[in-house]
Amino acid sequence: MNKHNREKQLRPEEKVSVIVPIYNVEPYLKRCVDSICGQTEEDLEIILVDDGSPDRCPQMCDQFAAEDQRIQVIHQGNAGVSAARNKGIELAAGEWIMFVDPDDWLERNAVEILCNQAERCGCDVIAASNYFNELHKNNRQITAHGKEIAQGEYSTEQDVETILRAIFIVRNKVLSLQVPWAKLYKRELFRHSQCRFHEGMKSGEDGIFNLYILRYAKKLFVLDVPVYHYQTGWPGSITSGYSPDQEARCRQYLVEQRKFLELYQLWDEFQIYYYCVAEQNIHLLSVNESRNIHSFSDFFRAASYLKQISEEQLNAEAIAAIPAGFMGGAKKELGLWMLKRGMYRSIMLFRWLGLAIERVLFPKR
């Protein structure tokens, strides 16, 4: 243990523990850590969890810790982002916990804004908005507003349908309650519950985590103020190319969501939201397949695959059960309308053309 970490253990409880899971993000890590260290709210504990990163991130983390006594570094073998976040939770000493992904960054007053709101409302979770910074589109910045859940205070018991809808039905460019970042969580929520990130999931673990933590919490405040920069399309991201295991990921996400609904006896009342996730998964798989189209035969294979997936019992039930207008948003309603009519080739054509146009407008550098 170095001198920095000995001093860290002697300090009193900080207001906020900021947890950063780190793996293979060398080009972006300094920007992320600088944005945390430069916060107007200085009463921070910054926990950098190096998850066995193969690049220079481990050395960078140690250098950051040498320069700022608020930083402590954990080096561990590669176990995934969930394990890294869980390790940070285990070590956190602050009154509040905040998660930041290492390729993202914060507005300079992000923590101050969240803390001020926490003091005003006395809620267990504060959820703010964010910016989307699209690296693959010349770093175009889009502001994500809370369209699926309005600003205000929510009881997790009385407003359960509003919260579930915001988690289960994902709108384009709006992620607020499906992700752990841009939020403050009371550390007591973790001390008195088993709410942790699912270490067996490769994707979707964020949404599952928030289902459980928001069910355990008493009050949530949604703040429609962007405080966080979420970067998309960086090299190596699962959103940047074809993923051969995407179907398995989607199926596991459905399994975990059903477990939650049945555990809390919400299945009968909110089964329709589960169907919405199944429908959205179909479109996610169609997008993934479009990234693997390189010929006419690939196109027809992808359309056939989409038909096969859509006609599976659960997915067919979902497509039939979701009423028009329920999903919200023109794109989602059009997608549902096309699935109801079996327009699989048309869906794949739109996906492929959209991807082709994007590649022309925003070529890889």
Side-chain angles (χ1 to χ4, degrees):
M1 182 182 297
N2 60 31
K3 178 182 178 182
H4 157 71
N5 282 339
R6 288 199 302 271
E7 291 176 350
K8 169 68 192 69
Q9 289 187 340
L10 296 175
R11 296 179 65 207
E13 180 178 286
E14 290 84 1
K15 181 178 288 187
V16 180
S17 295
V18 183
I19 298 170
V20 186
I22 297 166
Y23 184 82
N24 203 25
V25 286
E26 183 180 334
Y28 313 109
L29 184 57
K30 187 176 188 306
R31 178 184 63 186
C32 173
V33 175
D34 283 350
S35 78
I36 300 171
C37 293
Q39 287 293 300
T40 53
E41 172 56 67
E42 298 180 351
D43 192 7
L44 306 176
E45 170 188 53
I46 304 167
I47 304 174
L48 306 182
V49 184
D50 161 36
D51 189 41
S53 189
D55 54 9
R56 290 190 61 256
C57 285
Q59 293 82 4
M60 293 173 68
C61 289
D62 290 338
Q63 183 61 38
F64 297 145
E67 296 170 353
D68 192 321
Q69 67 172 1
R70 298 174 298 173
I71 296 176
Q72 65 170 307
V73 179
I74 307 301
H75 297 290
Q76 65 181 33
N78 179 240
V81 64
S82 291
R85 287 175 178 154
N86 288 341
K87 185 64 175 179
I89 293 170
E90 177 186 327
L91 298 173
E95 179 185 358
W96 296 88
I97 287 178
M98 184 177 187
F99 300 99
V100 178
D101 284 351
D103 51 320
D104 301 335
W105 68 99
L106 301 175
E107 286 284 286
R108 190 166 184 271
N109 59 346
V111 179
E112 181 181 3
I113 288 172
L114 289 167
C115 286
N116 286 344
Q117 185 59 54
E119 292 173 2
R120 285 194 295 267
C121 68
C123 292
D124 302 306
V125 180
I126 314 297
S129 183
N130 66 280
Y131 297 103
F132 283 90
N133 290 83
E134 300 176 316
L135 184 63
H136 60 303
K137 295 183 179 179
N138 300 325
N139 212 24
R140 181 179 67 176
Q141 181 168 290
I142 298 172
T143 303
H145 293 292
K147 297 177 183 177
E148 84 284 17
I149 184 167
Q151 177 167 302
E153 186 175 306
Y154 295 87
S155 161
T156 57
E157 286 288 341
Q158 298 174 1
D159 301 312
V160 60
E161 182 172 5
T162 301
I163 293 171
L164 287 181
R165 182 180 182 87
I167 296 177
F168 278 65
I169 303 180
V170 182
R171 291 200 181 191
N172 189 38
K173 304 303 180 188
V174 178
L175 291 174
S176 60
L177 293 191
Q178 297 90 27
V179 293
W181 37 258
K183 294 173 180 60
L184 285 184
Y185 299 90
K186 267 192 177 176
R187 186 164 65 95
E188 289 183 2
L189 294 174
F190 301 95
R191 293 173 63 186
H192 303 299
S193 78
Q194 296 301 311
C195 294
R196 296 295 187 272
F197 290 91
H198 192 310
E199 297 186 17
M201 295 184 70
K202 292 185 177 180
S203 63
E205 73 285 345
D206 293 355
I208 300 301
F209 166 78
N210 271 339
L211 281 174
Y212 284 97
I213 202 77
L214 289 174
R215 191 62 182 170
Y216 187 79
K218 300 300 182 186
K219 291 195 296 181
L220 159 74
F221 193 93
V222 174
L223 182 66
D224 194 10
V225 175
V227 302
Y228 189 98
H229 290 266
Y230 176 65
Q231 180 169 275
T232 65
W234 60 280
S237 167
I238 61 170
T239 61
S240 65
Y242 174 73
S243 299
D245 61 346
Q246 187 65 58
E247 184 179 335
R249 294 170 186 252
C250 288
R251 292 185 188 280
Q252 185 177 22
Y253 189 49
L254 281 169
V255 168
E256 295 301 327
Q257 287 194 322
R258 178 155 188 164
K259 283 182 183 178
F260 169 82
L261 291 174
E262 291 180 344
L263 177 65
Y264 289 100
Q265 300 180 339
L266 300 170
W267 174 253
D268 291 339
E269 188 175 359
F270 297 109
Q271 183 179 359
I272 188 66
Y273 292 106
Y274 182 78
Y275 280 155
C276 288
V277 176
E279 195 270 352
Q280 290 171 121
N281 277 350
I282 295 171
H283 288 290
L284 183 61
L285 290 171
S286 73
V287 171
N288 187 55
E289 287 300 312
S290 72
R291 297 181 179 130
N292 200 31
I293 294 176
H294 307 288
S295 65
F296 284 114
S297 61
D298 286 342
F299 172 80
F300 289 112
R301 172 197 50 75
S304 177
Y305 170 78
L306 180 59
K307 180 177 186 295
Q308 173 191 332
I309 290 294
S310 301
E311 292 179 353
E312 290 182 359
Q313 182 176 348
L314 168 61
N315 294 333
E317 289 176 1
I319 293 168
I322 302 171
F326 189 81
M327 297 292 292
K331 286 185 178 180
K332 287 194 175 294
E333 289 300 324
L334 176 61
L336 177 61
W337 183 85
M338 295 176 77
L339 282 176
K340 284 180 179 291
R341 287 154 181 79
M343 300 170 66
Y344 309 117
R345 291 183 180 178
S346 297
I347 291 172
M348 289 311 308
L349 181 61
F350 282 131
R351 300 295 188 203
W352 180 80
L353 285 175
L355 185 61
I357 292 170
E358 183 174 298
R359 284 170 175 166
V360 171
L361 294 177
F362 306 102
K364 290 184 178 180
R365 296 181 178 180

